[in-house]
């Protein structure tokens, strides 16, 4: 395992190199380019050395294009909505960026509504922009307003871990009771279950497993679930 | 950057619904305190207090100064507290926020004006030399109920602190280094603890003790009570517009007394445990 600090040069080389989060290509006057890290963390790459990225944990979200996030509507400005996605700047969402939305028929959002959306534009000099449909099909594909349920907050690494299908937590919880979950990579997880105590159990499990907090393993969670009244 | 938005509608509805059934998001009972963890630093008077993810660091240091002419027989205590953006992204540097003003005033009332520290015992030479104690409070992380955590950290730091021994012969004042003579602890009249209860807009919902960040932001009002284990009330502060019946306040005081007794045993035990590790062999 290699750990890097921001600014370190990374020996990533491939004819068809793809850089993931935390890596940046810089070119100097001699037209030669090098790869440097912009984040502290563990340097990882695929087996064929084609894709490189940095695995790190943080609490502050930096938007990146095509990532699914959960946001809270905080204001309306003209036709757009201002949405808080936990980043340094508020994101904007076009009022027509929903499936089947027209000038006449647009979704009825209120200030404080929760949204599951996709980052469509993330540029360092501009406000992030969101969309609530799939880029190719222009269908909702699960994006849109999240009604009811509860919003749990966790570290960014935890939200990525939950998205991994091989991670133990969600299947384990799903075997105990039915639940709906939407995971935003901005460290927000929307949970909906029939019983409030189940939602609370999920929230507490996420907090316990979070590497930022307890970092509990599968056995620990099973024991912990046994102590809860579910 | 604008202030972060208030909790979203689903969060609000779920929290109110769950609280109505007596369920809290961290699995606590409505009147259950997060057990505080106290850790002591290498220096005397350096205490870190953690309640869940809320963390506060308190530090006491003392020096000799000339007393104010109005109170020549009393020592001076100053409390420095600042909520920096380190605690939470909600706080901005510079201009003190409302929470910060409330907290500073509350700390002043609970720790200084409740006469917890015997100020006259800090006097070395009347009108000439007194001890000036400076209590610095750093808020490291805010996950709700920063005030109680800060008060606890502050009072434990004062209990933990020991000042160097002083000898006065005529006009001559000698300060003995801790390695020469054992430093003496401050003389405290009592140890006040602060408890915060949050009330919700729906009056049928029970009040909760030690609110989390979300509960605090969704509450209609908070009642902070500072008292000691001997049932002596120091401060009662109510913020927010929720109406409270006199009986309710008395009931809350009774609960707070219970909690103060429990907390007092915990604090005394931790201080003793820490003191046991600080044996210095004298040869």
């Amino acid at each position: 395992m290699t750990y890097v600090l921001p600014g370190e040069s990374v020996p990533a080389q491939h004819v068809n190199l793809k850089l993931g989060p935390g890596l940046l290509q810089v070119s100097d006057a001699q037209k030669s380019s090098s790869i440097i890290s912009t984040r502290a963390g563990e340097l990882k790459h695929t087996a064929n050395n084609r894709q490189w990225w940095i695995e790190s944990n943080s609490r502050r979200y930096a938007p990146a294009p095509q990532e699914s996030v959960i946001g809270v509507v905080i204001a309306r400005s003209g036709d757009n909505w201002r949405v808080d996605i936990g980043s340094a700047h508020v994101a904007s969402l076009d009022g027509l960026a929903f499936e089947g939305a027209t000038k006449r028929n647009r979704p009825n959002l209120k200030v404080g509504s929760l949204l599951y959306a996709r980052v469509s534009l993330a540029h360092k000099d501009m406000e992030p922009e969101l969309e609530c449909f799939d880029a190719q099909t222009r269908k909702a594909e699960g994006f849109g307003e999240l009604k009811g349920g509860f919003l749990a907050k966790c570290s960014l690494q935890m939200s990525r871990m939950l998205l991994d299908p091989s991670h133990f937590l969600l299947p384990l919880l799903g075997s105990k009771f039915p639940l709906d979950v939407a995971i935003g990579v901005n460290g927000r997880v929307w949970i909906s279950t029939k019983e409030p105590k189940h939602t609370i159990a999920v929230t507490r499990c996420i907090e316990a497993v979070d590497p930022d907090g307890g970092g509990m393993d599968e056995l620990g969670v099973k024991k912990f679930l046994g102590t809860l009244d579910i | 950057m604008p202030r972060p938005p208030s909790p979203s509608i689903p969060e609000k509805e779920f929290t109110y619904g769950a609280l109505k059934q007596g369920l809290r998001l961290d699995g606590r009972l409505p009147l259950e305190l997060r057990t505080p963890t106290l850790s002591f630093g290498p220096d005397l008077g350096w205490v870190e207090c953690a309640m869940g993810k809320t963390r506060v660091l308190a530090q006491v240091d003392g020096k000799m100064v000339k007393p104010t002419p109005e109170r020549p027989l009393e020592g001076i205590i100053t409390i420095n507290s600042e909520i920096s953006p380190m605690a939470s992204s909600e706080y901005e540097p510079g201009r003190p926020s409302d929470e910060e003003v409330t907290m500073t005033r509350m700390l002043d009332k609970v720790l200084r004006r409740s006469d917890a520290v015997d100020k006259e015992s800090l006097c070395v030479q009347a009108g000439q030399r007194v001890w000036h104690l400076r209590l610095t409070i750093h808020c490291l992380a805010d996950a709700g109920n920063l005030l109680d955590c800060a008060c606890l950290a502050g009072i434990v730091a004062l209990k933990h602190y020991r000042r160097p021994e002083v000898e006065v012969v005529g006009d001559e004042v000698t300060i003995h280094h801790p390695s020469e003579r054992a430093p003496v602890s401050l003389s405290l009249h009592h140890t006040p603890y602060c408890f915060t209860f949050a009330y919700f807009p729906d009056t049928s919902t029970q009040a909760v003790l030690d609110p989390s960040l979300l509960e605090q932001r969704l509450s209609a009002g908070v009642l902070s009570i500072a008292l000691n284990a001997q049932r002596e009330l120091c401060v009662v502060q109510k913020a927010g517009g929720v109406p409270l019946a006199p009986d309710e306040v008395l009931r809350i005081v009774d609960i707070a007394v219970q909690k103060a007794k429990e907390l007092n045993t915990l604090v005394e035990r931790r201080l003793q445990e820490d003191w046991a590790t600080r044996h210095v062999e004298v040869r």
Side-chain angles (χ1 to χ4, degrees), chain A residues 52 60 70 98 144 153 177 203 227:
Chain A
W52 292 70
R60 174 63 88 181
I70 293 178
F98 291 86
K153 291 182 180 128
F177 46 81
T203 316
T227 63

Side-chain angles (χ1 to χ4, degrees), chain A residues 64 91 181:
Chain A
V181 174

